[in-house]
Amino acid sequence: MKCSDSLQGLAASAEVNTCLERAKVGIPEFAEVYGHLELAQSILSCWDSWNRCQTVSINKAINAQEVAVKEKHARTCILGTHHEKGAQTFWSVVNRLPLSGNAVLCWKFCHVFHKLLRDGHSNVLKDSVRYKNELSDMSRMWGHLSEGYGQLCSIYLKLLRTKMEFHTKNPRFPGNLQMSDRQLDEAGENDVNNFFQLTVEMFDYLECELNLFQTVFSSLDMSRSVSVTAAGQCRLAPLIQVILDCSHLYDYTVKLLFKLHSCLPADTLQGHRDRFLEQFRKLKDLFYRSSNLQYFKRLIQIPQLPENPPNFLRASALSEHISPVVVIPAEASSPDSEPITDLVEMDTASQSLFDNKFDDIFGSSFSCDPFNFNSQNGMSKDDKDRLIEQLYGEIAGLKEELENFKAESTRGAVQLRGRASELEAELAEQQHLKQQAQDESEFLRTELEELKKQREDTEKAQRSLTEIERRAQANEQRYSKLKEKYSELVQNHADLLRKNAEVTKQITVARQAQGDVEREKKELEDSFQRLSEQAQRKFCQPLPLLQSQEQAEVLETLKRELAASKQELQVVQGTLESSTQAGAEQNTRIASLEQERDRLSRAAEQHRDEMAALQAELQQLQDTLSSEQENSRTELETLQTQLRDKGTAREAERMVQDALTRMEDPAHISCTGSADCLLSRTLAASECAERLRDAHSKYLLDGAAVGSLLPCLALFAHLVSDTLLQGSATSHVAPVEPADRLLELCKQCGSAAVSYLSALQDPGTVASADCSLVTACLGQISAIGEELRPRGLDVRQEELGDLVDKEMAATAAAIETASARIEEMLSKARAGDTGVKLEVNERILGSCTGLMQAIHVLVLASKDLQREIVESGRGAASPKEFYAKNSRWTEGLISASKAVGWGATVMVDAADLVVQGKGTFEELMVCSREIAASTAQLVAASKVKADKDSANLCKLQQASRGVNQATASVVASTKAGKSQVEEKDSMDFSGMTLTQIKRQEMDSQVRVLELENQLQKERQKLGELRKKHYELAGVAEGWEEDAAD
C-alpha cells in the first residue's frame, strides 16, 4: 500500500511539474486570448517562489560550515530535480558559489552532487556532463593542497567525474546502481567482449571509490572519537554514498568475473583476478573499520565481506556468493538534522503544497473542472459552456479510442492464447519425442553395457588363455633345462664310477708290487746272510804250514768271490733301499687313492639324492602342465561352444541391423555430420575388417584361435554401425547426387556386413564367409567422403612442419612491419599535428607500439615453447614427422599464427586511418580486442602439449598477461582520446531559435532510429559471421570428429 501511494505521489508531482512547465510557456498566450494577465502573473510568481525556495535549500545544504549536510536540505534538492526533470536550477545556483575558494564548501558540494547523481532525476546526468571539464580543472587545482580538505576535494571530484563517465558509457546502469541479474546481462548484450570491457570500467570506478575511502580515513585522527565531532561527521558523511556504491560494484564485479571465466581461458583473466584480489582486501578492511565507528552504527548497517575471496576457477563457487546488502534503518537520522521522512512522502507533501497554491489561484473546484474561473477571473458562462462541450467531445473521442484499443487488445489476447495453445501442443510433441529419444538412448545404453560386458569377458578369457599358454611354454622350457641337467648328472656319475674302478685297480697293482718287493728283499737278506757265513767259515779254517800251489789259487779265487759278493751285497743293499723308498711312496699313493675313493663315493651319493629330488620335481611339473593343458582345453572348448552358439555373432549382427533401422528413422533426419569424421570412421572400420579377415583365416587353420576372432567381431560391428550412421548424417548436408550415392553405399555395406555375420553363425558356411564386399563398400564410402571434404584442408602431412615455421616467421615479420609503420606514423604525426590532436595521436600510437612489443615477446615465447615441445615429444623422429603425427595441434598453431599476423596488420591500418582523421576510434578498439583474442588462441594452442612445470610455459603466460595489459592500455587510451576530442567539439545551441531546435530535435530522432535499425542489422550480421566462423573453425580443427569420438 505504501509503495502504491509512493508511486502515485511521484506521478502527481510529475503532473504538477508538467503543468508548471506548460504554464510558463502558455500563460502569456492564454493571457492574450482571454485577458487574464493577473492569472499569468500569479502563476509566474508561484514558479518564482518555488525557485527561490529551491535556491535557499541548495545554499543551506552547501555552506562553508564544517558540519555534515543536513538531510532535509539534501532531500529538498533531490525533490527539486524530480520536479523540474533536471538539474538546471541546481547548477544555476552552484555556479554562483565560490567552490574554488573554500575547500569545505567544495567538499559539501561534492556530497550533495553525489546524492543527486544517485537519487535525483535521470536527467541530472545529462545536465551535468557539460560541467565535466570544470570539475576536472577544479580537481587539479585542489590537488595542489596537501593538507585539510584539498586532497579530499581533489579525489572526490575525480570520483564524480569517473561516475559520470561510467553512466554515460553505460546508460543502462541507474545512478544508484541497483540492477537485477537479467538487467546486468542485458547491459553487456551477452557479448564476452562487452563484459570484459565492463569489468575493467567497474574496476576503475571501484578504485576511485576506495581511494576516497582510504583518503578520508587517513585524514582523521583515529586515536580520538572523531565520529562524534561535527568536523569528523562532515568528512564521514559522504562515505555513506561510497559504501552504497561499493557494495553494488563488488557484487557486479564478482558476477561478471564468473561469467568471463566461463567463456575465456583462465590465463587471459589473470590480470582481472589480481586486480580484484587487491580491491577485495582493501574493501574488506574499509568495511570492517567503518562498521566500528559510532557515527555509522546509527545511520547504516554495513555488510561484512567473506573471509576468503571467491574462487573464479571453480564455476560452482558462484552459488556460494552472497551479495552484500547495505541496510539504512528507517529511524536513522544524521546529526543536527530533523527526522528523515520518506522521499516519496516529501514529494507528495510538496505536490500538495503546489495543489493548494494552484487552488488559491484557479479556485477550489479546479480538480473537478480545470477551467472554472468564475469565482476569481470573471469568465463568461458562454465561454465556459463552449469549453465544457469541447472537453466532452474530446472525452467522447478518447472513449472511442479506448474502446478500439480494448477491442484490439481482446483480438490480440485471443491470438496470443491461440498461439500459446499451438506452442503448448508443440511443446507436448517435443516432450513426447524427447521421451522417445530417452527410451531409445536407455535401450542403446543397455545394449552397449551388455556388449561391453561380453567384450570384457572375451578379453578376460583371451588374457587367461594367453597366460596359460605362456606358463605352459615356461614349464616346457624349465622341463627341458631339468632334463639336460639330469643327463649331465648321469654322465658325471658314470665318469665317477669308471674313475673309482680305475683307482681300485691301481691300488691292487700297487699292493702286489709291494709284496713282490718285500719277497725280493727277504731273499736278498737270506742270500747275504749265507754268503757272510761262508766267508767267515773260510777265513776261520787253519791253514797248513805247507800249502800247495792249488791252495793258493783257491784262496785267490775265494778272495775274488768275496770281493764279488761284497759288490753284489752293496748292489742288493742299494736295491733294498730303493725298494723301501718305493714302498713308502706306494703307501702314500694308496692312502690318497683311498681318500679320493671316499670323496667320490660321497659325491655319488649326493648326486643320487639330487637326481631323486629332480625326478620328484619333474613329476610335479608334468602333473601341473597336464592340469593346465586340461584347463586350456576346457576354456578353448567353451569359446568354441560360445562361437557355435552364435552369441557374439548374433549380437554383432543385431547391432548392424539396428544401425540400418536407425538410418530409416525420421528422427535421424535432423542429425548432420562432417566428411572428416566420416573418413576417420571409415578408416577405422576398414582396418578392423582387415584384422577380422586375418583372425578368421587363423580360426579356419586352427580352431584354437577363436580367442582372437571374438573381440574382432564386436569391434567390427561397432565400427561398421558407427560408419553407417555417420554416413547417413553426412548425406543430410551433402549435395543431392553424392548424398544419394553415399546413402545407397551405406545400405549396401550394412547388408553385406549382416550377410557376413550370418554366415559366421552357421557351421556349414563359416568357412566360405568373406568380408571382402564390406571392405569394398567401405572403400567407396571413403572415396565419396574425400569428394565431400572442404577444399583448403588438403595440406600434405609432410608439409605441416615447414608450414608451421613459415607461419611463425610470417607472423613475426608482420609484427615487425606493423611496429615500423607505427613508428613512421608517430613521426609524421609529430611533424604535422599540434595541440589536442597531437596529444591524442601520440597516446594512441604509443599504446599500439607497446601492444606490438608485447605481441612480439609473446610470439618469441611461443616459438621457444613449441621448440621445447617438439624436442621432448618427437623422440628419434624429426620435427617434421612430429608435426605430421600431431596434425590437429599443428593446424591449430598455423591458424592462431595467421590470426595474430592478420590482426596486427588490420590494427595498424585502423590506427593509420584514425591518425589521418578518416577512421573511427571504435574500429581501433575492436581491432585491439581481436588481436588480444588471437594471441589468446595462440597461447592456448602452444600450451596444450606443454609440461605444466616448464619454464618456457611460465614465460609464455607472463607474455600473455603483458598482451592483455597492453590491449587494455590501447582501449583506455583510445577511449580517452575519443572523450578528449568529443569535449573539444562540445555542442552549443545557445544561438539557435525554437524552430531550429525543434527541427534539429526531429533530425536527431530520425538519426537515432536509423542508427538503432543499423545497429540491429549489424548485430545480426555479426552473429551470422561468428556462427559461420565457428563452423569453418570446427571443420578445420576437427571439433565434430572429436565430438563423435
Side-chain angles (χ1 to χ4, degrees), residues 16-31 39-48 50-51 83-84 88-89 358 362:
V16 172
N17 187 29
T18 304
C19 293
L20 290 175
E21 288 182 351
R22 292 179 179 176
K24 290 179 66 177
V25 177
I27 283 175
E29 299 178 358
F30 182 83
L39 173 63
Q41 292 175 357
S42 299
I43 294 175
L44 291 178
S45 63
C46 178
W47 179 263
D48 292 337
W50 176 87
N51 197 2
H83 288 163
E84 65 174 346
Q88 294 90 348
T89 303
F358 219 77
F362 291 101

Side-chain angles (χ1 to χ4, degrees), residues 139 238 808 873:
S139 174
M808 294 300 292

Side-chain angles (χ1 to χ4, degrees), residues 428-627:
E429 183 179 358
Q430 293 295 330
Q431 290 178 348
H432 179 66
L433 293 176
K434 177 183 178 182
Q435 185 63 34
Q436 289 182 348
Q438 289 178 349
D439 296 340
E440 182 180 359
S441 175
E442 188 65 28
F443 174 72
L444 292 177
R445 190 179 295 109
T446 305
E447 287 188 350
L448 181 60
E449 292 295 333
E450 293 177 357
L451 290 175
K452 286 182 178 180
K453 186 176 181 181
Q454 292 179 1
R455 180 179 178 183
E456 290 176 356
D457 295 340
T458 305
E459 291 178 351
K460 185 177 180 181
Q462 180 69 22
R463 287 194 299 269
S464 62
L465 181 60
T466 305
E467 182 66 20
I468 291 171
E469 291 177 353
R470 186 186 63 78
R471 292 170 61 185
Q473 292 177 359
N475 290 333
E476 289 179 358
Q477 293 176 0
R478 188 176 180 185
Y479 175 73
S480 300
K481 292 180 180 179
L482 290 174
K483 188 175 181 181
E484 292 176 358
K485 191 172 183 179
Y486 176 72
S487 301
E488 184 180 354
L489 290 175
V490 171
Q491 184 66 30
N492 292 336
H493 183 64
D495 294 340
L496 290 174
L497 291 177
R498 285 193 298 272
K499 192 173 182 180
N500 189 18
E502 291 176 358
V503 170
T504 304
K505 185 177 180 181
Q506 290 177 3
I507 292 173
T508 304
V509 172
R511 287 178 178 176
Q512 290 177 358
Q514 185 179 5
D516 294 340
V517 169
E518 289 179 354
R519 284 193 301 272
E520 289 178 358
K521 179 180 179 181
K522 189 175 182 180
E523 289 176 357
L524 289 174
E525 287 178 353
D526 294 341
S527 299
F528 179 74
Q529 187 68 28
R530 288 193 303 270
L531 290 174
S532 297
E533 289 176 357
Q534 289 177 5
Q536 288 177 3
R537 283 194 303 269
K538 288 179 181 181
F539 283 108
C540 291
Q541 289 178 3
L543 295 176
L545 296 173
L546 297 176
Q547 295 178 344
S548 62
Q549 187 66 32
E550 290 84 3
Q551 289 178 342
E553 293 176 358
V554 170
L555 182 61
E556 187 67 29
T557 302
L558 289 174
K559 288 181 179 180
R560 286 195 297 271
E561 289 179 359
L562 181 59
S565 297
K566 288 181 178 180
Q567 292 178 355
E568 185 177 357
L569 180 59
Q570 291 176 356
V571 171
V572 170
Q573 287 178 349
T575 304
L576 181 59
E577 291 177 359
S578 62
S579 297
T580 302
Q581 186 177 1
E585 292 178 357
Q586 288 294 330
N587 291 332
T588 304
R589 186 177 181 187
I590 288 170
S592 64
L593 288 175
E594 287 179 351
Q595 292 177 359
E596 182 69 19
R597 183 184 64 182
D598 295 338
R599 187 182 63 79
L600 291 175
S601 299
R602 288 194 300 272
E605 185 67 26
Q606 184 178 0
H607 283 303
R608 202 175 291 112
D609 296 339
E610 290 181 357
M611 287 178 62
L614 289 174
Q615 286 178 352
E617 186 176 358
L618 180 61
Q619 183 64 32
Q620 184 180 0
L621 289 175
Q622 287 177 348
D623 296 339
T624 304
L625 181 60
S626 299
S627 62

Side-chain angles (χ1 to χ4, degrees), residues 853-864:
Q853 293 174 354
I855 295 173
H856 182 68
V857 172
L858 183 136
V859 171
L860 293 179
S862 177
K863 291 173 68 176
D864 294 339

Side-chain angles (χ1 to χ4, degrees), residues 218-243:
S218 300
S219 65
L220 295 175
D221 185 4
M222 304 305 294
S223 62
R224 298 184 294 110
S225 301
V226 294
S227 64
V228 298
T229 63
Q233 293 175 1
C234 181
R235 300 191 183 194
L236 292 174
L239 295 186
I240 296 178
Q241 311 302 317
V242 175
I243 292 172

